[in-house]
Amino acid sequence: MNYFSLLLSAAGAADGFNIDFQPEKFLDMLPYMGKGMLVIFVIIGFIILSTLVINKIFSNKNK
């Protein structure tokens, strides 16, 4: 019985639940994590660009 199973059983979790630690799966997940980070980067860039455009359009010209 591993440490997580002990914690879950102490917390009253369902008996069939098991957490397997498989470090070799980390390399399989790297492409998915990279795509997710790229999407986040693109969305943040879009928010920054749209904020700059809105500031440019609605800025007070009589400064």
Side-chain angles (χ1 to χ4, degrees):
M1 184 177 266
N2 62 19
Y3 181 71
F4 292 113
S5 298
L6 286 173
L7 286 176
L8 290 173
S9 64
D15 284 350
F17 189 73
N18 189 12
I19 297 175
D20 292 330
F21 181 65
Q22 300 174 351
E24 66 275 1
K25 297 290 184 184
F26 178 74
L27 293 177
D28 296 337
M29 295 297 116
L30 280 177
Y32 298 110
M33 289 187 285
K35 289 175 187 174
M37 292 176 73
L38 178 65
V39 168
I40 291 170
F41 180 75
V42 168
I43 291 172
I44 290 173
F46 177 75
I47 292 171
I48 291 171
L49 287 176
S50 60
T51 303
L52 291 173
V53 168
I54 290 171
N55 271 341
K56 201 67 128 166
I57 292 171
F58 293 109
S59 66
N60 191 0
K61 303 285 185 199
N62 299 329
K63 285 188 176 180

